[in-house]
Amino acid sequence: MTKTIFEKSIPGRKGAILPQNDVDIDINDCIPEKFRRKSEVKLPELSELDVMRHFVELSQKNHFIEKGFYPLGSCTMKYNPKSHEAFVRSSCLMDLHPYQPEETVQGALEILYELQNDLAEVAGMKNTTLQPVAGAHGEFTGLKIMKAYHIAKGNHHKNEIILPDAAHGTNPASVALAGMKVVEIKSNSKGMVDVDALKAAINENTAGFMLTNPNTLGLFEPQIEAIAAAIHAVDGLMYMDGANMNPILGVVHPGKIGFDVMHYNLHKTVSTPHGGGGPGSGAVSVVEKLEKFLPYPMVNKVGDKFILDFSHKDTSIGKVHSFYGNFAVNVRAWAYIKTLGGKGLRRAAENAVINANYIMKKLAKVYHIPHDHTYCMHEFVATNEWQKKRCFENLGDKEKCNIKTLDIAKRLLDKGYHAPTIYFPLIVHEAMMIEPTETESKQTLDEFIEAMIEINDECINNPEIVLNAPTNTPIRRVDDVKAVKDLNVRFVW
Ligand SMILES: *Cc1c(COP(=O)(O)O)cnc(C)c1O
């Protein structure tokens, strides 16, 4: 175990020399007695080098994209260009204050204005808000806009959102948060929307349909136009969860195939290091009839000046975040789009699809891939079924061969890979969702495929290795449930 920074402390060792205090104030005058420290604070005493080594060592115990392949399905853990990090950290952007007068932040507003427009173009829709700061937050914003549309028309009864059981987990949660009712329909045997079930669920109260597309199985929904026609027939609205835009960027424009509103996960699709809860940007694009409900302010251009436009305040759903959302994430998204351009975005999408299909085809011989399909989009879902079965056929011991998807994921850690997303989507038993992204080379994909094939052999011939994995990570298996229910992160020195 690594020692904590407190345990590494050596009394008297110093890492910094502070200048002499030349401010003439008596601390007793400004801090009330009850807030004053009664005893000396215990801080670790270390040199600069000790501290550097400590944190670098800790960071290396973690997994990150610069360290290794990170095929975490649905999360799009692509490599983010360092030039964009340098750009966003430049003082001309980072030293701005959100309360600065508009005329002093014209460049920053121009970036936001261009990003709004670029995202609207990619969506095939009219306009975009950059305020939401996460995918789920974008969903909430989009659903509020849908609700506002119905209320503006006097249709207060329209409060049901239909969604398939393959939906990303945040979808039903966002519907509930936006004050509407979830109506879930089953997917068909191919993992796609069952249009008959959808038609049966549509009624006067239908406010809209919400679709994760491509869905959580990595499949593009082929019946969108039929679905949109049925929903629009009752004046419902079509919402697209576009967190998975990565494989269709510049290829499919959701607004042109029947969607009225969508969110992006800019932190996934157009780059920002993410994971661990943030920061993100869940920009929302809408078609013309929904534009007036967007959060305020929007960035607009009047003549050659960029302004914060509050003119639709009366019809807007209001603000969903302070100022302009996560500015730095939006700047990275802008840099990514401007660097690649329209053709580049499309190429990134195509490469994401090719990479996922390459792994899927190579692994289809050894891993069970349900919802039998000839190709996938940016990700695919496999299971542990064959490993369990083949192990039993070989060793004849049910207990020894009780290999779970969790075990396969843990074994991948031993081989230096981040595990795929596991046990999601819920509609696949023991799911393992693999998304390579476009930034990986064929060599990396081949090495990963090789590791997965090795694990398959281990499952069949030597399952203990897999059941006991991981063996060479800093911590073996953690008790996830205890960690959540009985969390204690205090360190007592
Ligand atoms: C990641 C993801 C979300 C949620 O995005 P957050 O930024 O984590 O809130 C929603 N839908 C899909 C399909 C996703 O992959």
Side-chain angles (χ1 to χ4, degrees), residues 40-69:
E40 190 87 339
V41 61
K42 280 191 197 167
L43 291 175
E45 297 176 81
L46 296 157
S47 72
E48 182 173 322
L49 182 58
D50 294 335
V51 174
M52 291 304 295
R53 285 191 178 147
H54 178 73
F55 285 108
V56 168
E57 187 194 348
L58 282 186
S59 77
Q60 287 170 343
K61 290 190 190 308
N62 212 335
H63 192 89
F64 41 97
I65 193 76
E66 290 84 354
K67 185 175 176 182
F69 185 46

PDB file of all heavy atoms in Angstrom, residues 40-69:
ATOM      1  N   GLU A  40      -2.119  23.735  17.305  1.00  0.00           N
ATOM      2  CA  GLU A  40      -1.370  23.809  16.050  1.00  0.00           C
ATOM      3  C   GLU A  40      -2.011  22.883  14.995  1.00  0.00           C
ATOM      4  O   GLU A  40      -2.394  21.746  15.305  1.00  0.00           O
ATOM      5  CB  GLU A  40       0.036  23.322  16.344  1.00  0.00           C
ATOM      6  CG  GLU A  40       1.020  23.537  15.248  1.00  0.00           C
ATOM      7  CD  GLU A  40       1.696  24.896  15.299  1.00  0.00           C
ATOM      8  OE1 GLU A  40       1.178  25.859  15.917  1.00  0.00           O
ATOM      9  OE2 GLU A  40       2.751  24.993  14.699  1.00  0.00           O
ATOM     10  N   VAL A  41      -2.147  23.337  13.742  1.00  0.00           N
ATOM     11  CA  VAL A  41      -2.697  22.488  12.692  1.00  0.00           C
ATOM     12  C   VAL A  41      -1.658  21.435  12.296  1.00  0.00           C
ATOM     13  O   VAL A  41      -0.465  21.715  12.228  1.00  0.00           O
ATOM     14  CB  VAL A  41      -3.142  23.316  11.464  1.00  0.00           C
ATOM     15  CG1 VAL A  41      -1.990  24.070  10.849  1.00  0.00           C
ATOM     16  CG2 VAL A  41      -3.811  22.438  10.423  1.00  0.00           C
ATOM     17  N   LYS A  42      -2.146  20.212  12.095  1.00  0.00           N
ATOM     18  CA  LYS A  42      -1.207  19.147  11.719  1.00  0.00           C
ATOM     19  C   LYS A  42      -1.161  19.041  10.198  1.00  0.00           C
ATOM     20  O   LYS A  42      -2.097  18.522   9.586  1.00  0.00           O
ATOM     21  CB  LYS A  42      -1.690  17.817  12.285  1.00  0.00           C
ATOM     22  CG  LYS A  42      -1.361  17.613  13.738  1.00  0.00           C
ATOM     23  CD  LYS A  42      -1.657  16.147  14.048  1.00  0.00           C
ATOM     24  CE  LYS A  42      -1.756  15.895  15.533  1.00  0.00           C
ATOM     25  NZ  LYS A  42      -2.344  14.584  15.803  1.00  0.00           N
ATOM     26  N   LEU A  43      -0.127  19.531   9.606  1.00  0.00           N
ATOM     27  CA  LEU A  43       0.023  19.422   8.157  1.00  0.00           C
ATOM     28  C   LEU A  43       1.215  18.524   7.867  1.00  0.00           C
ATOM     29  O   LEU A  43       2.169  18.489   8.643  1.00  0.00           O
ATOM     30  CB  LEU A  43       0.259  20.807   7.542  1.00  0.00           C
ATOM     31  CG  LEU A  43      -0.930  21.767   7.572  1.00  0.00           C
ATOM     32  CD1 LEU A  43      -0.504  23.135   7.038  1.00  0.00           C
ATOM     33  CD2 LEU A  43      -2.087  21.223   6.747  1.00  0.00           C
ATOM     34  N   PRO A  44       1.153  17.817   6.750  1.00  0.00           N
ATOM     35  CA  PRO A  44       2.315  16.991   6.416  1.00  0.00           C
ATOM     36  C   PRO A  44       3.524  17.874   6.097  1.00  0.00           C
ATOM     37  O   PRO A  44       3.375  18.943   5.498  1.00  0.00           O
ATOM     38  CB  PRO A  44       1.860  16.210   5.180  1.00  0.00           C
ATOM     39  CG  PRO A  44       0.618  16.836   4.709  1.00  0.00           C
ATOM     40  CD  PRO A  44       0.069  17.699   5.778  1.00  0.00           C
ATOM     41  N   GLU A  45       4.686  17.448   6.505  1.00  0.00           N
ATOM     42  CA  GLU A  45       5.899  18.230   6.255  1.00  0.00           C
ATOM     43  C   GLU A  45       6.758  17.453   5.263  1.00  0.00           C
ATOM     44  O   GLU A  45       7.283  16.388   5.569  1.00  0.00           O
ATOM     45  CB  GLU A  45       6.626  18.475   7.581  1.00  0.00           C
ATOM     46  CG  GLU A  45       5.760  19.299   8.532  1.00  0.00           C
ATOM     47  CD  GLU A  45       6.399  19.498   9.898  1.00  0.00           C
ATOM     48  OE1 GLU A  45       7.254  20.386  10.034  1.00  0.00           O
ATOM     49  OE2 GLU A  45       6.032  18.739  10.814  1.00  0.00           O
ATOM     50  N   LEU A  46       6.861  18.015   4.076  1.00  0.00           N
ATOM     51  CA  LEU A  46       7.531  17.307   2.980  1.00  0.00           C
ATOM     52  C   LEU A  46       8.253  18.288   2.078  1.00  0.00           C
ATOM     53  O   LEU A  46       7.920  19.476   2.039  1.00  0.00           O
ATOM     54  CB  LEU A  46       6.488  16.562   2.135  1.00  0.00           C
ATOM     55  CG  LEU A  46       5.715  15.436   2.814  1.00  0.00           C
ATOM     56  CD1 LEU A  46       4.398  15.175   2.102  1.00  0.00           C
ATOM     57  CD2 LEU A  46       6.545  14.180   2.846  1.00  0.00           C
ATOM     58  N   SER A  47       9.218  17.774   1.327  1.00  0.00           N
ATOM     59  CA  SER A  47       9.902  18.622   0.343  1.00  0.00           C
ATOM     60  C   SER A  47       9.077  18.663  -0.942  1.00  0.00           C
ATOM     61  O   SER A  47       8.165  17.847  -1.132  1.00  0.00           O
ATOM     62  CB  SER A  47      11.287  18.049   0.035  1.00  0.00           C
ATOM     63  OG  SER A  47      11.141  16.871  -0.727  1.00  0.00           O
ATOM     64  N   GLU A  48       9.409  19.579  -1.813  1.00  0.00           N
ATOM     65  CA  GLU A  48       8.702  19.676  -3.095  1.00  0.00           C
ATOM     66  C   GLU A  48       8.789  18.356  -3.859  1.00  0.00           C
ATOM     67  O   GLU A  48       7.802  17.866  -4.405  1.00  0.00           O
ATOM     68  CB  GLU A  48       9.306  20.820  -3.922  1.00  0.00           C
ATOM     69  CG  GLU A  48       8.605  21.028  -5.240  1.00  0.00           C
ATOM     70  CD  GLU A  48       9.099  22.262  -5.985  1.00  0.00           C
ATOM     71  OE1 GLU A  48       9.378  23.277  -5.331  1.00  0.00           O
ATOM     72  OE2 GLU A  48       9.226  22.195  -7.213  1.00  0.00           O
ATOM     73  N   LEU A  49       9.979  17.751  -3.857  1.00  0.00           N
ATOM     74  CA  LEU A  49      10.167  16.493  -4.588  1.00  0.00           C
ATOM     75  C   LEU A  49       9.311  15.376  -3.979  1.00  0.00           C
ATOM     76  O   LEU A  49       8.699  14.591  -4.709  1.00  0.00           O
ATOM     77  CB  LEU A  49      11.656  16.112  -4.583  1.00  0.00           C
ATOM     78  CG  LEU A  49      12.020  14.835  -5.359  1.00  0.00           C
ATOM     79  CD1 LEU A  49      11.592  14.929  -6.818  1.00  0.00           C
ATOM     80  CD2 LEU A  49      13.518  14.571  -5.267  1.00  0.00           C
ATOM     81  N   ASP A  50       9.253  15.320  -2.649  1.00  0.00           N
ATOM     82  CA  ASP A  50       8.399  14.304  -2.003  1.00  0.00           C
ATOM     83  C   ASP A  50       6.956  14.438  -2.480  1.00  0.00           C
ATOM     84  O   ASP A  50       6.284  13.446  -2.767  1.00  0.00           O
ATOM     85  CB  ASP A  50       8.374  14.498  -0.468  1.00  0.00           C
ATOM     86  CG  ASP A  50       9.722  14.234   0.186  1.00  0.00           C
ATOM     87  OD1 ASP A  50      10.515  13.476  -0.392  1.00  0.00           O
ATOM     88  OD2 ASP A  50       9.956  14.810   1.279  1.00  0.00           O
ATOM     89  N   VAL A  51       6.495  15.679  -2.538  1.00  0.00           N
ATOM     90  CA  VAL A  51       5.097  15.926  -2.903  1.00  0.00           C
ATOM     91  C   VAL A  51       4.860  15.544  -4.365  1.00  0.00           C
ATOM     92  O   VAL A  51       3.870  14.882  -4.704  1.00  0.00           O
ATOM     93  CB  VAL A  51       4.720  17.405  -2.654  1.00  0.00           C
ATOM     94  CG1 VAL A  51       3.318  17.701  -3.175  1.00  0.00           C
ATOM     95  CG2 VAL A  51       4.803  17.726  -1.166  1.00  0.00           C
ATOM     96  N   MET A  52       5.789  15.952  -5.221  1.00  0.00           N
ATOM     97  CA  MET A  52       5.654  15.614  -6.642  1.00  0.00           C
ATOM     98  C   MET A  52       5.568  14.094  -6.814  1.00  0.00           C
ATOM     99  O   MET A  52       4.703  13.574  -7.511  1.00  0.00           O
ATOM    100  CB  MET A  52       6.862  16.113  -7.450  1.00  0.00           C
ATOM    101  CG  MET A  52       6.978  17.611  -7.583  1.00  0.00           C
ATOM    102  SD  MET A  52       5.532  18.385  -8.295  1.00  0.00           S
ATOM    103  CE  MET A  52       5.543  17.706  -9.924  1.00  0.00           C
ATOM    104  N   ARG A  53       6.506  13.395  -6.157  1.00  0.00           N
ATOM    105  CA  ARG A  53       6.527  11.920  -6.311  1.00  0.00           C
ATOM    106  C   ARG A  53       5.245  11.306  -5.779  1.00  0.00           C
ATOM    107  O   ARG A  53       4.711  10.359  -6.362  1.00  0.00           O
ATOM    108  CB  ARG A  53       7.736  11.340  -5.577  1.00  0.00           C
ATOM    109  CG  ARG A  53       8.997  11.607  -6.357  1.00  0.00           C
ATOM    110  CD  ARG A  53      10.160  10.830  -5.801  1.00  0.00           C
ATOM    111  NE  ARG A  53      11.335  11.105  -6.645  1.00  0.00           N
ATOM    112  CZ  ARG A  53      12.568  11.146  -6.199  1.00  0.00           C
ATOM    113  NH1 ARG A  53      12.825  10.952  -4.917  1.00  0.00           N
ATOM    114  NH2 ARG A  53      13.559  11.385  -7.028  1.00  0.00           N
ATOM    115  N   HIS A  54       4.753  11.845  -4.679  1.00  0.00           N
ATOM    116  CA  HIS A  54       3.531  11.294  -4.083  1.00  0.00           C
ATOM    117  C   HIS A  54       2.358  11.376  -5.060  1.00  0.00           C
ATOM    118  O   HIS A  54       1.668  10.383  -5.318  1.00  0.00           O
ATOM    119  CB  HIS A  54       3.193  12.052  -2.792  1.00  0.00           C
ATOM    120  CG  HIS A  54       1.930  11.582  -2.148  1.00  0.00           C
ATOM    121  ND1 HIS A  54       1.855  10.372  -1.484  1.00  0.00           N
ATOM    122  CD2 HIS A  54       0.683  12.121  -2.088  1.00  0.00           C
ATOM    123  CE1 HIS A  54       0.626  10.200  -1.038  1.00  0.00           C
ATOM    124  NE2 HIS A  54      -0.106  11.248  -1.394  1.00  0.00           N
ATOM    125  N   PHE A  55       2.172  12.546  -5.630  1.00  0.00           N
ATOM    126  CA  PHE A  55       0.991  12.710  -6.483  1.00  0.00           C
ATOM    127  C   PHE A  55       1.159  12.040  -7.852  1.00  0.00           C
ATOM    128  O   PHE A  55       0.184  11.522  -8.410  1.00  0.00           O
ATOM    129  CB  PHE A  55       0.604  14.192  -6.597  1.00  0.00           C
ATOM    130  CG  PHE A  55      -0.054  14.682  -5.333  1.00  0.00           C
ATOM    131  CD1 PHE A  55       0.595  15.553  -4.465  1.00  0.00           C
ATOM    132  CD2 PHE A  55      -1.312  14.224  -4.978  1.00  0.00           C
ATOM    133  CE1 PHE A  55       0.001  15.959  -3.274  1.00  0.00           C
ATOM    134  CE2 PHE A  55      -1.921  14.624  -3.793  1.00  0.00           C
ATOM    135  CZ  PHE A  55      -1.259  15.492  -2.937  1.00  0.00           C
ATOM    136  N   VAL A  56       2.387  12.026  -8.347  1.00  0.00           N
ATOM    137  CA  VAL A  56       2.586  11.309  -9.614  1.00  0.00           C
ATOM    138  C   VAL A  56       2.337   9.809  -9.404  1.00  0.00           C
ATOM    139  O   VAL A  56       1.677   9.149 -10.205  1.00  0.00           O
ATOM    140  CB  VAL A  56       3.995  11.584 -10.192  1.00  0.00           C
ATOM    141  CG1 VAL A  56       4.300  10.624 -11.344  1.00  0.00           C
ATOM    142  CG2 VAL A  56       4.096  13.023 -10.677  1.00  0.00           C
ATOM    143  N   GLU A  57       2.814   9.302  -8.271  1.00  0.00           N
ATOM    144  CA  GLU A  57       2.594   7.888  -7.966  1.00  0.00           C
ATOM    145  C   GLU A  57       1.083   7.581  -7.865  1.00  0.00           C
ATOM    146  O   GLU A  57       0.602   6.604  -8.437  1.00  0.00           O
ATOM    147  CB  GLU A  57       3.287   7.537  -6.647  1.00  0.00           C
ATOM    148  CG  GLU A  57       3.245   6.046  -6.344  1.00  0.00           C
ATOM    149  CD  GLU A  57       3.630   5.721  -4.903  1.00  0.00           C
ATOM    150  OE1 GLU A  57       4.141   6.605  -4.185  1.00  0.00           O
ATOM    151  OE2 GLU A  57       3.386   4.574  -4.509  1.00  0.00           O
ATOM    152  N   LEU A  58       0.370   8.440  -7.174  1.00  0.00           N
ATOM    153  CA  LEU A  58      -1.078   8.235  -7.058  1.00  0.00           C
ATOM    154  C   LEU A  58      -1.752   8.262  -8.423  1.00  0.00           C
ATOM    155  O   LEU A  58      -2.598   7.430  -8.741  1.00  0.00           O
ATOM    156  CB  LEU A  58      -1.715   9.324  -6.182  1.00  0.00           C
ATOM    157  CG  LEU A  58      -1.576   9.212  -4.668  1.00  0.00           C
ATOM    158  CD1 LEU A  58      -2.403  10.311  -4.014  1.00  0.00           C
ATOM    159  CD2 LEU A  58      -2.020   7.848  -4.175  1.00  0.00           C
ATOM    160  N   SER A  59      -1.358   9.239  -9.238  1.00  0.00           N
ATOM    161  CA  SER A  59      -2.007   9.379 -10.547  1.00  0.00           C
ATOM    162  C   SER A  59      -1.785   8.130 -11.383  1.00  0.00           C
ATOM    163  O   SER A  59      -2.657   7.716 -12.137  1.00  0.00           O
ATOM    164  CB  SER A  59      -1.498  10.626 -11.276  1.00  0.00           C
ATOM    165  OG  SER A  59      -0.205  10.391 -11.813  1.00  0.00           O
ATOM    166  N   GLN A  60      -0.596   7.509 -11.211  1.00  0.00           N
ATOM    167  CA  GLN A  60      -0.308   6.334 -12.038  1.00  0.00           C
ATOM    168  C   GLN A  60      -1.064   5.091 -11.595  1.00  0.00           C
ATOM    169  O   GLN A  60      -1.141   4.119 -12.324  1.00  0.00           O
ATOM    170  CB  GLN A  60       1.201   6.078 -12.053  1.00  0.00           C
ATOM    171  CG  GLN A  60       1.909   7.118 -12.908  1.00  0.00           C
ATOM    172  CD  GLN A  60       3.402   7.054 -12.772  1.00  0.00           C
ATOM    173  OE1 GLN A  60       3.923   6.460 -11.833  1.00  0.00           O
ATOM    174  NE2 GLN A  60       4.113   7.672 -13.702  1.00  0.00           N
ATOM    175  N   LYS A  61      -1.606   5.122 -10.398  1.00  0.00           N
ATOM    176  CA  LYS A  61      -2.439   3.999  -9.956  1.00  0.00           C
ATOM    177  C   LYS A  61      -3.810   4.047 -10.629  1.00  0.00           C
ATOM    178  O   LYS A  61      -4.552   3.089 -10.624  1.00  0.00           O
ATOM    179  CB  LYS A  61      -2.628   4.046  -8.440  1.00  0.00           C
ATOM    180  CG  LYS A  61      -1.363   3.717  -7.671  1.00  0.00           C
ATOM    181  CD  LYS A  61      -1.710   3.561  -6.230  1.00  0.00           C
ATOM    182  CE  LYS A  61      -0.521   3.459  -5.319  1.00  0.00           C
ATOM    183  NZ  LYS A  61       0.476   2.463  -5.681  1.00  0.00           N
ATOM    184  N   ASN A  62      -4.118   5.200 -11.161  1.00  0.00           N
ATOM    185  CA  ASN A  62      -5.391   5.379 -11.833  1.00  0.00           C
ATOM    186  C   ASN A  62      -5.248   4.950 -13.290  1.00  0.00           C
ATOM    187  O   ASN A  62      -4.163   4.697 -13.763  1.00  0.00           O
ATOM    188  CB  ASN A  62      -5.758   6.864 -11.745  1.00  0.00           C
ATOM    189  CG  ASN A  62      -7.243   7.057 -11.682  1.00  0.00           C
ATOM    190  OD1 ASN A  62      -8.001   6.203 -12.145  1.00  0.00           O
ATOM    191  ND2 ASN A  62      -7.661   8.175 -11.140  1.00  0.00           N
ATOM    192  N   HIS A  63      -6.373   4.878 -13.979  1.00  0.00           N
ATOM    193  CA  HIS A  63      -6.298   4.616 -15.418  1.00  0.00           C
ATOM    194  C   HIS A  63      -6.741   5.864 -16.160  1.00  0.00           C
ATOM    195  O   HIS A  63      -7.690   6.523 -15.739  1.00  0.00           O
ATOM    196  CB  HIS A  63      -7.192   3.440 -15.812  1.00  0.00           C
ATOM    197  CG  HIS A  63      -6.923   2.956 -17.206  1.00  0.00           C
ATOM    198  ND1 HIS A  63      -5.989   1.994 -17.494  1.00  0.00           N
ATOM    199  CD2 HIS A  63      -7.438   3.341 -18.398  1.00  0.00           C
ATOM    200  CE1 HIS A  63      -5.953   1.786 -18.811  1.00  0.00           C
ATOM    201  NE2 HIS A  63      -6.832   2.597 -19.374  1.00  0.00           N
ATOM    202  N   PHE A  64      -6.037   6.214 -17.211  1.00  0.00           N
ATOM    203  CA  PHE A  64      -6.414   7.383 -17.985  1.00  0.00           C
ATOM    204  C   PHE A  64      -6.025   7.146 -19.433  1.00  0.00           C
ATOM    205  O   PHE A  64      -5.214   6.281 -19.734  1.00  0.00           O
ATOM    206  CB  PHE A  64      -5.781   8.668 -17.427  1.00  0.00           C
ATOM    207  CG  PHE A  64      -4.354   8.521 -16.977  1.00  0.00           C
ATOM    208  CD1 PHE A  64      -3.304   8.873 -17.809  1.00  0.00           C
ATOM    209  CD2 PHE A  64      -4.066   8.031 -15.702  1.00  0.00           C
ATOM    210  CE1 PHE A  64      -1.988   8.735 -17.386  1.00  0.00           C
ATOM    211  CE2 PHE A  64      -2.755   7.894 -15.270  1.00  0.00           C
ATOM    212  CZ  PHE A  64      -1.711   8.238 -16.112  1.00  0.00           C
ATOM    213  N   ILE A  65      -6.629   7.932 -20.306  1.00  0.00           N
ATOM    214  CA  ILE A  65      -6.487   7.658 -21.748  1.00  0.00           C
ATOM    215  C   ILE A  65      -5.032   7.762 -22.213  1.00  0.00           C
ATOM    216  O   ILE A  65      -4.619   7.068 -23.117  1.00  0.00           O
ATOM    217  CB  ILE A  65      -7.428   8.594 -22.572  1.00  0.00           C
ATOM    218  CG1 ILE A  65      -7.563   8.131 -24.024  1.00  0.00           C
ATOM    219  CG2 ILE A  65      -6.982  10.038 -22.544  1.00  0.00           C
ATOM    220  CD1 ILE A  65      -8.448   6.953 -24.233  1.00  0.00           C
ATOM    221  N   GLU A  66      -4.237   8.623 -21.552  1.00  0.00           N
ATOM    222  CA  GLU A  66      -2.827   8.747 -21.942  1.00  0.00           C
ATOM    223  C   GLU A  66      -2.011   7.544 -21.469  1.00  0.00           C
ATOM    224  O   GLU A  66      -0.864   7.370 -21.863  1.00  0.00           O
ATOM    225  CB  GLU A  66      -2.213  10.035 -21.369  1.00  0.00           C
ATOM    226  CG  GLU A  66      -2.726  11.316 -21.997  1.00  0.00           C
ATOM    227  CD  GLU A  66      -4.030  11.803 -21.387  1.00  0.00           C
ATOM    228  OE1 GLU A  66      -4.617  11.089 -20.547  1.00  0.00           O
ATOM    229  OE2 GLU A  66      -4.483  12.904 -21.778  1.00  0.00           O
ATOM    230  N   LYS A  67      -2.612   6.728 -20.573  1.00  0.00           N
ATOM    231  CA  LYS A  67      -1.898   5.556 -20.061  1.00  0.00           C
ATOM    232  C   LYS A  67      -2.255   4.303 -20.859  1.00  0.00           C
ATOM    233  O   LYS A  67      -1.392   3.450 -21.087  1.00  0.00           O
ATOM    234  CB  LYS A  67      -2.271   5.360 -18.594  1.00  0.00           C
ATOM    235  CG  LYS A  67      -1.531   4.253 -17.885  1.00  0.00           C
ATOM    236  CD  LYS A  67      -1.929   4.284 -16.421  1.00  0.00           C
ATOM    237  CE  LYS A  67      -1.314   3.136 -15.653  1.00  0.00           C
ATOM    238  NZ  LYS A  67      -1.767   3.178 -14.237  1.00  0.00           N
ATOM    239  N   GLY A  68      -3.524   4.201 -21.244  1.00  0.00           N
ATOM    240  CA  GLY A  68      -3.913   2.984 -21.948  1.00  0.00           C
ATOM    241  C   GLY A  68      -5.300   3.084 -22.545  1.00  0.00           C
ATOM    242  O   GLY A  68      -6.040   4.035 -22.303  1.00  0.00           O
ATOM    243  N   PHE A  69      -5.633   2.044 -23.293  1.00  0.00           N
ATOM    244  CA  PHE A  69      -6.911   1.948 -23.991  1.00  0.00           C
ATOM    245  C   PHE A  69      -8.066   1.979 -22.988  1.00  0.00           C
ATOM    246  O   PHE A  69      -7.964   1.410 -21.901  1.00  0.00           O
ATOM    247  CB  PHE A  69      -6.906   0.644 -24.786  1.00  0.00           C
ATOM    248  CG  PHE A  69      -8.084   0.415 -25.678  1.00  0.00           C
ATOM    249  CD1 PHE A  69      -8.558   1.417 -26.499  1.00  0.00           C
ATOM    250  CD2 PHE A  69      -8.698  -0.845 -25.718  1.00  0.00           C
ATOM    251  CE1 PHE A  69      -9.639   1.179 -27.346  1.00  0.00           C
ATOM    252  CE2 PHE A  69      -9.760  -1.087 -26.562  1.00  0.00           C
ATOM    253  CZ  PHE A  69     -10.237  -0.076 -27.366  1.00  0.00           C
TER     254      PHE A  69
END
